[in-house]
Amino acid sequence: MSKKVWTDVDDYIVSSLFEADPILEAVLAANRDQGLPAIDVSPAQGKLLSLLVRISGARKVLEIGTLGGYSTIWMARGLPVGGKIVTLELEPHHAKVAHSNLERAGVPDKVELRIGPALQSLETLAAENAGPFDLIFIDADKPNNPNYLSWAMRLSRPGTVIICDNVIRDGTVLNDDGRDAYVEGARGAFSFIGGDKRLDGTAIQTVGAKGYDGFAIAIIE
Ligand code: SAH
Ligand code: DHB
Ligand code: MG
């Protein structure tokens, strides 16, 4: 099996199940034009996030790691009327591109974008009593995964769904030599979820247009 097959199957999933989506295509084109790295979730994964928002009935979503807002837009589309996403981004340039993409997608009223190191923004959100969030998507700097999960516990309630991206990384999650900070981040997510009795979780391995990776998904008891 090769990346070509995975990508062709992703194209098949999208062409069979999704309506043509010029807005999201324009979002990805804007990200490219503005020099953002193409590390957004894939369309099939974005739709999964949107469905998870709907399946869980989430009204309040927290995202850590906005980039150009591609995953934000997918999740915003899954929200009911009156639903909101707070999304956290370190890089002002990414945030600027995300703002214009959110406008383009017609969801700016549903999204509050906070710029700065997520650990600081999370502290502010906690001080503001902004929680509990119903669904939390963690997709920023991987070494901070355990710290983000720790904040997620504080900003949540029983039943909150937590999703953490990029926890498989071509299978390198099995490397326990501590030499790669990204791998350590993925392993940190597993240790955290496996080690906290309040969390009931699993991980799904994914292949597709973005290669071989996966999501960890957990619910707070
Ligand atoms: N969720 C996006 C992809 C996010 S890529 C999507 O699927 O469309 C990861 C993002 O996290 C990048 O934009 C990066 O700038 C941001 N990031 C990295 N370190 C961060 C930090 N400490 N605080 C907040 N955001 C951070
Ligand atoms: C990277 C980050 C991501 O969130 C992702 O989905 C893929 C790659 C990265 O920083 O390399
Ligand atoms: Mg990611």
Side-chain angles (χ1 to χ4, degrees):
M1 270 325 134
S2 68
K3 173 106 187 271
K4 161 115 177 58
V5 179
W6 304 342
T7 305
D8 290 349
V9 172
D10 248 4
D11 290 344
Y12 174 76
I13 292 169
V14 170
S15 64
S16 324
L17 305 180
F18 302 3
E19 309 255 323
D21 202 329
I23 291 175
L24 283 178
E25 275 162 32
V27 164
L28 293 178
N31 288 357
R32 265 195 307 274
D33 289 348
Q34 294 297 318
L36 269 53
I39 56 175
D40 349 63
V41 293
S42 70
Q45 291 168 338
K47 184 66 172 284
L48 173 66
L49 291 173
S50 181
L51 289 171
L52 286 169
V53 168
R54 292 181 63 190
I55 290 165
S56 64
R59 302 183 59 84
K60 241 164 93 172
V61 171
L62 173 64
E63 176 177 63
I64 307 175
T66 316
L67 191 65
Y70 184 79
S71 53
T72 323
I73 293 166
W74 273 112
M75 291 192 288
R77 287 176 172 181
L79 285 172
V81 174
K84 285 264 186 271
I85 302 187
V86 176
T87 184
L88 311 180
E89 174 54 50
L90 174 66
E91 298 291 340
H93 178 60
H94 295 180
K96 187 163 171 253
V97 176
H99 262 303
S100 95
N101 283 333
L102 295 166
E103 292 272 345
R104 192 191 309 273
V107 297
D109 297 348
K110 291 188 159 182
V111 182
E112 184 193 341
L113 175 47
R114 295 192 180 200
I115 304 172
L119 289 176
Q120 273 178 32
S121 303
L122 288 161
E123 200 166 329
T124 308
L125 286 169
E128 290 170 4
N129 274 320
F133 291 92
D134 306 313
L135 184 144
I136 301 177
F137 178 48
I138 299 173
D139 190 20
D141 49 326
K142 312 308 169 189
N144 268 319
N145 277 342
N147 296 326
Y148 294 148
L149 283 160
S150 207
W151 277 108
M153 300 306 291
R154 290 184 54 182
L155 291 164
S156 56
R157 56 163 172 83
T160 293
V161 175
I162 299 179
I163 304 157
C164 194
D165 194 22
N166 309 116
V167 297
I168 304 295
R169 290 213 166 244
D170 281 316
T172 57
V173 67
L174 296 179
N175 300 348
D176 62 359
D177 56 20
R179 277 188 303 191
D180 180 329
Y182 274 61
V183 171
E184 282 307 291
R187 295 179 69 86
F190 277 91
S191 322
F192 192 102
I193 295 169
D196 192 318
K197 289 212 159 31
R198 294 166 298 171
L199 284 169
D200 191 17
T202 187
I204 43 172
Q205 305 186 62
T206 56
V207 294
K210 298 281 169 163
Y212 169 37
D213 213 322
F215 292 109
I217 304 183
I219 190 162
I220 303 193
E221 306 277 23

